[in-house]
């Protein structure tokens, strides 16, 4: 774990900031180390369908293809 931690870029995200955008190239993975986030899909009529909530220790960003199939937004100030 120490080796992986030394290789990771650390980022802070402000409350309500989207840090994964549905349809963008899936080129990063995220491990939440502080705060919480929600993941959601955008519906055709502009509404959001919340898929889940994530907190410290949760890992996200692995996509089944080359693009993210969901968006992620910070619920609180968070770090990954």
């Amino acid at each position: 774990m120490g080796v992986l931690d030394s290789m990771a870029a650390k980022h802070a995200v402000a409350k309500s900031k989207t840090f994964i955008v549905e349809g963008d190239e899936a080129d990063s993975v995220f491990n939440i180390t502080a705060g919480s986030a929600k993941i959601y899909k955008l519906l055709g009529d502009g509404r959001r369908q919340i898929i889940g909530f994530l907190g410290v220790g949760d890992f996200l960003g692995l996509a089944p293809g080359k693009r993210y199939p969901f968006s992620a937004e910070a619920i609180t100030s968070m770090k990954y």
Side-chain angles (χ1 to χ4, degrees):
M1 289 302 289
V3 172
L4 290 175
D5 187 55
S6 69
M7 293 170 36
K10 296 169 178 51
H11 299 276
V13 181
K15 178 181 177 181
S16 301
K17 172 99 169 107
T18 299
F19 60 98
I20 295 177
V21 176
E22 183 177 347
D24 278 359
E25 188 174 344
D27 58 0
S28 298
V29 292
F30 307 84
N31 181 37
I32 298 175
T33 59
S36 59
K38 64 181 172 187
I39 54 175
Y40 61 91
K41 299 240 349 134
L42 293 174
L43 303 178
D45 61 5
R47 294 179 299 147
R48 295 178 180 187
Q49 180 179 9
I50 296 175
I51 300 168
F53 298 95
L54 305 167
V56 174
D58 285 326
F59 184 82
L60 70 153
L62 290 177
K66 295 183 180 186
R67 306 260 174 218
Y68 292 118
F70 57 83
S71 294
E73 177 182 304
I75 296 172
T76 64
S77 296
M78 58 172 279
K79 294 180 181 178
Y80 63 83

